[in-house]
Amino acid sequence: MSVLFRLTATETRLFLREPIVVFFAVAFAPILLVVLGLVPSMREPAAELGGRRMIDVATRLMGQLRQPASEPLSRRELEVVELIA
């Protein structure tokens, strides 16, 4: 058994030891997107968002928070983030 395999197995066991961490790491974001997608006002284009839907902005923001930005948020998206916060 290689050292890398043993290390990976140990880290996996440590990760799975806390069920709440597994929930938030794996299931929370998709569940939140589904819930937000079911809200009718989130699916309508908004003039203040440049004709985009709020769910489009929310998905982009969630992606930006989960991983490094491949392209930075636009000025308008940053204004929306400030309004929400």
Side-chain angles (χ1 to χ4, degrees), residues 3-74:
V3 174
L4 180 61
F5 179 77
R6 287 192 331 216
L7 178 64
T8 304
T10 302
E11 289 296 328
T12 303
R13 280 195 304 271
L14 288 172
F15 178 71
L16 294 175
R17 198 182 275 181
E18 296 289 334
I20 196 75
V21 173
V22 175
F23 170 77
F24 279 104
V26 177
F28 182 71
I31 290 171
L32 183 62
L33 283 176
V34 168
V35 169
L36 291 177
L38 292 174
V39 177
S41 63
M42 297 282 278
R43 293 180 280 172
E44 298 171 4
E48 61 269 6
L49 297 176
R52 290 191 220 160
R53 301 174 303 169
M54 185 61 186
I55 192 68
D56 296 332
V57 175
T59 9
R60 180 168 164 106
L61 291 175
M62 288 178 122
Q64 294 285 331
L65 294 175
R66 292 180 66 99
Q67 60 190 0
S70 56
E71 61 182 75
L73 293 174
S74 69

